Amino acid sequence: MTGQQPMCIICAWRSTCQKQFSLKAGQKCPDFVKDVTVKIKNNEEKQQNDEKKS
């Protein structure tokens, strides 16, 4: 999870969270846990995929 910010849309608790999207900018949610089922490509993978398409 290098360089990735804690966000509601990738949190494991997003379906049952009572404070979802209620935190102000810059606040860190103490309950945040990254959902391991959410796959997020890093910049290198994106660049390689773009090169393959060209």
Coordinates of all heavy atoms in Angstrom, one line a residue:
M1 N 0.8 -1.2 0.0 CA 0.0 0.0 0.0 C 0.9 1.2 0.0 O 0.7 2.2 0.7 CB -0.9 0.0 1.2 CG -2.1 0.9 1.1 SD -3.4 0.6 2.3 CE -2.8 1.5 3.7
T2 N 1.9 1.3 -0.8 CA 2.8 2.4 -0.8 C 2.2 3.6 -1.5 O 1.7 3.5 -2.6 CB 4.1 2.0 -1.6 OG1 3.7 1.5 -2.9 CG2 4.8 0.9 -0.9
G3 N 2.2 4.7 -0.8 CA 1.7 5.9 -1.4 C 0.2 6.0 -1.5 O -0.3 6.9 -2.1
Q4 N -0.5 5.1 -1.0 CA -1.9 5.0 -1.1 C -2.6 5.6 0.1 O -2.2 5.3 1.2 CB -2.4 3.6 -1.3 CG -3.8 3.5 -1.9 CD -4.1 2.1 -2.3 OE1 -3.4 1.2 -1.9 NE2 -5.1 1.9 -3.0
Q5 N -3.6 6.5 -0.1 CA -4.2 7.1 1.1 C -5.4 6.3 1.5 O -6.0 5.6 0.7 CB -4.7 8.5 0.6 CG -3.7 9.5 0.3 CD -4.2 10.8 -0.1 OE1 -5.4 11.0 -0.2 NE2 -3.3 11.8 -0.3
P6 N -5.7 6.3 2.8 CA -6.9 5.6 3.3 C -8.1 6.3 2.8 O -8.3 7.5 3.0 CB -6.8 5.7 4.8 CG -5.6 6.6 5.1 CD -4.9 6.9 3.9
M7 N -8.9 5.6 2.0 CA -10.2 6.2 1.5 C -11.3 5.2 1.8 O -11.1 4.0 1.8 CB -10.0 6.4 0.0 CG -8.9 7.3 -0.4 SD -8.8 7.5 -2.2 CE -8.1 6.0 -2.7
C8 N -12.5 5.8 1.9 CA -13.7 5.0 2.2 C -14.0 3.9 1.1 O -14.4 2.8 1.4 CB -14.9 5.9 2.3 SG -14.9 7.0 3.8
I9 N -13.7 4.3 -0.2 CA -14.0 3.4 -1.2 C -13.2 2.1 -1.3 O -13.5 1.2 -1.9 CB -14.0 4.1 -2.6 CG1 -12.6 4.7 -2.9 CG2 -15.0 5.1 -2.7 CD1 -12.4 5.2 -4.3
I10 N -12.0 2.1 -0.6 CA -11.2 0.9 -0.6 C -11.1 0.3 0.8 O -10.3 -0.6 1.1 CB -9.8 1.2 -1.1 CG1 -9.1 2.2 -0.3 CG2 -9.8 1.5 -2.6 CD1 -7.6 2.3 -0.6
C11 N -12.0 0.8 1.7 CA -12.0 0.3 3.1 C -12.8 -1.0 3.3 O -13.8 -1.2 2.7 CB -12.6 1.3 4.0 SG -12.5 0.8 5.8
A12 N -12.3 -1.9 4.0 CA -12.9 -3.2 4.3 C -14.3 -3.0 5.0 O -15.1 -3.9 4.9 CB -12.0 -4.2 5.1
W13 N -14.4 -2.0 5.7 CA -15.6 -1.7 6.5 C -16.6 -0.8 5.8 O -17.6 -0.4 6.4 CB -15.2 -1.1 7.9 CG -14.2 -1.8 8.6 CD1 -12.9 -1.4 8.8 CD2 -14.4 -3.1 9.2 NE1 -12.3 -2.4 9.5 CE2 -13.1 -3.5 9.8 CE3 -15.4 -4.0 9.3 CZ2 -12.9 -4.7 10.4 CZ3 -15.2 -5.2 10.0 CH2 -14.0 -5.5 10.5
R14 N -16.5 -0.5 4.5 CA -17.3 0.5 3.9 C -18.8 0.1 3.8 O -19.6 1.0 3.8 CB -16.8 0.7 2.4 CG -16.9 -0.5 1.5 CD -16.2 -0.2 0.2 NE -16.2 -1.3 -0.7 CZ -15.3 -2.3 -0.7 NH1 -14.3 -2.2 0.2 NH2 -15.4 -3.3 -1.5
S15 N -19.1 -1.2 3.9 CA -20.5 -1.5 3.8 C -21.3 -1.3 5.1 O -22.5 -1.2 5.2 CB -20.7 -3.0 3.3 OG -20.1 -3.8 4.2
T16 N -20.5 -1.3 6.2 CA -21.2 -1.2 7.5 C -20.7 0.0 8.3 O -21.1 0.2 9.4 CB -20.9 -2.4 8.4 OG1 -19.4 -2.6 8.5 CG2 -21.5 -3.7 7.8
C17 N -19.9 0.9 7.7 CA -19.4 2.0 8.4 C -20.4 3.1 8.7 O -21.2 3.4 7.8 CB -18.3 2.6 7.5 SG -17.5 4.1 8.3
Q18 N -20.4 3.6 9.9 CA -21.3 4.7 10.3 C -20.7 6.1 10.0 O -21.5 7.1 10.0 CB -21.7 4.5 11.8 CG -22.4 3.3 12.1 CD -23.7 3.1 11.3 OE1 -24.5 4.0 11.4 NE2 -23.9 2.0 10.6
K19 N -19.4 6.2 9.8 CA -18.8 7.5 9.6 C -18.4 7.7 8.1 O -17.6 8.6 7.8 CB -17.6 7.8 10.5 CG -17.0 6.6 11.1 CD -15.9 7.0 12.1 CE -15.6 5.8 12.9 NZ -14.4 5.8 13.6
Q20 N -18.9 6.8 7.2 CA -18.4 6.8 5.8 C -18.6 8.2 5.2 O -19.7 8.8 5.3 CB -19.2 5.8 5.1 CG -18.7 5.5 3.7 CD -19.3 4.4 3.0 OE1 -20.5 4.1 3.3 NE2 -18.6 3.7 2.1
F21 N -17.5 8.7 4.6 CA -17.5 10.0 3.9 C -17.8 11.2 4.8 O -18.1 12.2 4.3 CB -18.4 10.0 2.7 CG -18.1 8.9 1.7 CD1 -19.0 7.8 1.6 CD2 -17.0 8.8 1.0 CE1 -18.8 6.8 0.7 CE2 -16.7 7.8 0.1 CZ -17.6 6.8 -0.1
S22 N -17.8 11.0 6.1 CA -18.1 12.1 7.0 C -16.9 12.8 7.5 O -17.0 13.9 8.2 CB -19.0 11.6 8.2 OG -18.3 10.7 9.0
L23 N -15.7 12.2 7.3 CA -14.5 12.8 7.8 C -14.1 14.0 6.9 O -14.3 14.0 5.7 CB -13.3 11.8 7.9 CG -13.6 10.6 8.8 CD1 -12.4 9.6 8.7 CD2 -13.7 11.1 10.2
K24 N -13.5 15.0 7.5 CA -13.1 16.2 6.8 C -11.7 15.9 6.1 O -11.0 15.0 6.5 CB -12.9 17.4 7.7 CG -14.3 17.8 8.3 CD -14.2 19.1 9.1 CE -15.6 19.5 9.4 NZ -15.9 19.6 10.7
A25 N -11.4 16.7 5.1 CA -10.2 16.5 4.3 C -9.0 16.6 5.3 O -8.9 17.4 6.1 CB -10.1 17.6 3.3
G26 N -8.1 15.6 5.1 CA -6.9 15.5 5.9 C -7.1 14.7 7.2 O -6.1 14.3 7.8
Q27 N -8.3 14.4 7.6 CA -8.5 13.5 8.8 C -8.3 12.1 8.4 O -8.6 11.6 7.3 CB -9.9 13.7 9.3 CG -10.2 15.0 10.0 CD -11.6 15.0 10.6 OE1 -12.5 14.7 9.9 NE2 -11.7 15.3 11.9
K28 N -7.7 11.4 9.3 CA -7.5 9.9 9.2 C -8.5 9.2 9.9 O -8.7 9.4 11.1 CB -6.1 9.6 9.7 CG -5.0 10.4 9.0 CD -4.3 9.6 8.0 CE -3.0 10.3 7.5 NZ -3.1 11.1 6.4
C29 N -9.1 8.2 9.3 CA -10.1 7.4 10.0 C -9.4 6.3 10.8 O -8.5 5.6 10.3 CB -11.0 6.7 9.0 SG -12.3 5.6 9.7
P30 N -9.7 6.2 12.1 CA -9.0 5.3 13.0 C -9.4 3.8 12.7 O -8.7 2.9 13.1 CB -9.4 5.7 14.4 CG -10.7 6.4 14.2 CD -10.6 7.1 12.8
D31 N -10.5 3.6 12.0 CA -11.0 2.3 11.7 C -10.6 1.8 10.3 O -11.0 0.7 10.0 CB -12.6 2.3 11.8 CG -13.0 2.7 13.2 OD1 -12.3 2.4 14.2 OD2 -14.2 3.2 13.3
F32 N -9.9 2.6 9.6 CA -9.6 2.2 8.2 C -8.8 0.9 8.1 O -7.7 0.8 8.8 CB -8.8 3.3 7.5 CG -8.4 2.9 6.1 CD1 -9.3 2.9 5.0 CD2 -7.1 2.5 5.8 CE1 -9.0 2.6 3.8 CE2 -6.8 2.1 4.5 CZ -7.7 2.1 3.5
V33 N -9.2 0.0 7.3 CA -8.5 -1.2 7.0 C -8.7 -1.5 5.5 O -9.8 -1.5 5.0 CB -9.0 -2.5 7.7 CG1 -8.2 -3.7 7.3 CG2 -8.9 -2.2 9.2
K34 N -7.6 -1.6 4.7 CA -7.7 -1.7 3.3 C -8.3 -3.1 3.0 O -8.0 -4.1 3.5 CB -6.3 -1.7 2.6 CG -6.4 -1.8 1.1 CD -5.0 -1.7 0.5 CE -5.0 -1.8 -1.0 NZ -5.4 -3.1 -1.4
D35 N -9.3 -3.0 2.1 CA -10.0 -4.2 1.6 C -9.0 -5.0 0.6 O -8.7 -4.4 -0.4 CB -11.3 -3.9 0.9 CG -12.1 -5.1 0.5 OD1 -11.6 -6.2 0.5 OD2 -13.3 -4.9 0.1
V36 N -8.6 -6.2 1.0 CA -7.6 -6.9 0.2 C -8.2 -7.4 -1.1 O -7.4 -7.8 -2.0 CB -6.9 -8.0 1.0 CG1 -6.1 -7.5 2.1 CG2 -8.0 -9.0 1.4
T37 N -9.5 -7.4 -1.2 CA -10.1 -7.9 -2.5 C -10.1 -6.8 -3.6 O -10.4 -7.0 -4.7 CB -11.6 -8.3 -2.2 OG1 -12.4 -7.3 -1.8 CG2 -11.6 -9.5 -1.2
V38 N -9.8 -5.5 -3.2 CA -9.8 -4.4 -4.1 C -8.4 -4.4 -4.7 O -7.4 -4.2 -4.0 CB -10.1 -3.1 -3.4 CG1 -10.0 -1.9 -4.4 CG2 -11.5 -3.1 -2.9
K39 N -8.3 -4.6 -6.0 CA -7.0 -4.6 -6.7 C -6.8 -3.2 -7.3 O -7.6 -2.7 -8.1 CB -7.0 -5.6 -7.8 CG -7.3 -7.0 -7.4 CD -6.2 -7.5 -6.5 CE -6.5 -9.0 -6.1 NZ -5.8 -9.4 -5.0
I40 N -5.7 -2.6 -6.9 CA -5.3 -1.3 -7.5 C -4.0 -1.4 -8.1 O -3.0 -1.8 -7.5 CB -5.3 -0.2 -6.3 CG1 -6.7 -0.1 -5.7 CG2 -4.8 1.1 -6.9 CD1 -6.8 0.8 -4.6
K41 N -3.9 -1.0 -9.4 CA -2.7 -1.1 -10.2 C -1.8 0.1 -9.8 O -2.3 1.2 -9.6 CB -3.0 -1.0 -11.7 CG -3.7 -2.2 -12.2 CD -3.8 -2.0 -13.7 CE -4.5 -3.2 -14.3 NZ -4.7 -3.1 -15.8
N42 N -0.5 -0.2 -9.7 CA 0.4 0.9 -9.5 C 0.8 1.5 -10.8 O 0.4 1.1 -11.9 CB 1.6 0.4 -8.7 CG 2.5 -0.6 -9.4 OD1 2.5 -0.6 -10.6 ND2 3.2 -1.4 -8.7
N43 N 1.5 2.6 -10.7 CA 1.8 3.4 -11.9 C 2.6 2.6 -12.9 O 2.5 2.7 -14.1 CB 2.6 4.7 -11.6 CG 1.7 5.7 -10.9 OD1 0.5 5.6 -11.1 ND2 2.2 6.6 -10.2
E44 N 3.6 1.7 -12.5 CA 4.4 0.9 -13.4 C 3.5 -0.1 -14.2 O 3.7 -0.2 -15.4 CB 5.4 0.2 -12.6 CG 6.5 1.0 -12.1 CD 7.6 0.3 -11.3 OE1 7.6 -1.0 -11.4 OE2 8.3 0.9 -10.5
E45 N 2.6 -0.7 -13.5 CA 1.7 -1.6 -14.2 C 0.8 -0.9 -15.2 O 0.6 -1.4 -16.3 CB 0.8 -2.4 -13.2 CG 1.5 -3.4 -12.3 CD 0.7 -4.0 -11.3 OE1 -0.4 -3.4 -11.0 OE2 1.0 -5.0 -10.7
K46 N 0.3 0.2 -14.9 CA -0.5 1.0 -15.8 C 0.3 1.4 -17.1 O -0.1 1.3 -18.2 CB -1.0 2.3 -15.1 CG -2.1 2.1 -14.2 CD -2.5 3.4 -13.6 CE -3.6 3.2 -12.5 NZ -3.9 4.5 -11.9
Q47 N 1.6 1.8 -16.8 CA 2.4 2.2 -17.9 C 2.7 1.0 -18.8 O 2.7 1.1 -20.1 CB 3.7 2.8 -17.4 CG 4.6 3.4 -18.5 CD 5.8 4.1 -17.9 OE1 6.2 3.8 -16.8 NE2 6.5 4.9 -18.6
Q48 N 3.0 -0.1 -18.3 CA 3.3 -1.4 -19.1 C 2.0 -1.7 -19.9 O 2.2 -2.1 -21.0 CB 3.7 -2.5 -18.1 CG 5.1 -2.3 -17.6 CD 5.4 -3.4 -16.5 OE1 4.5 -4.2 -16.2 NE2 6.6 -3.4 -16.1
N49 N 0.9 -1.7 -19.3 CA -0.4 -2.0 -20.0 C -0.6 -1.0 -21.2 O -1.0 -1.4 -22.3 CB -1.6 -2.0 -19.1 CG -1.6 -3.2 -18.2 OD1 -0.9 -4.2 -18.5 ND2 -2.3 -3.1 -17.1
D50 N -0.3 0.3 -20.9 CA -0.5 1.3 -22.0 C 0.5 1.0 -23.1 O 0.2 1.2 -24.3 CB -0.2 2.7 -21.4 CG -1.4 3.1 -20.5 OD1 -2.5 2.5 -20.6 OD2 -1.2 4.1 -19.8
E51 N 1.7 0.6 -22.8 CA 2.7 0.3 -23.9 C 2.3 -0.9 -24.7 O 2.6 -1.0 -25.9 CB 4.1 0.1 -23.2 CG 4.7 1.4 -22.7 CD 6.0 1.1 -21.9 OE1 6.4 0.0 -21.7 OE2 6.6 2.1 -21.4
K52 N 1.7 -1.9 -24.0 CA 1.3 -3.1 -24.8 C 0.2 -2.8 -25.8 O 0.1 -3.4 -26.8 CB 0.8 -4.2 -23.8 CG 1.9 -4.8 -23.0 CD 1.4 -5.8 -22.0 CE 2.5 -6.4 -21.2 NZ 2.0 -7.4 -20.2
K53 N -0.7 -1.8 -25.4 CA -1.8 -1.5 -26.2 C -1.3 -0.7 -27.5 O -2.0 -0.7 -28.5 CB -2.8 -0.6 -25.5 CG -3.6 -1.4 -24.4 CD -4.5 -0.5 -23.7 CE -5.2 -1.3 -22.6 NZ -6.1 -0.4 -21.8
S54 N -0.2 0.0 -27.3 CA 0.3 0.8 -28.5 C 1.0 0.0 -29.5 O 1.5 -1.0 -29.4 CB 1.3 1.8 -28.0 OG 0.7 2.7 -27.0

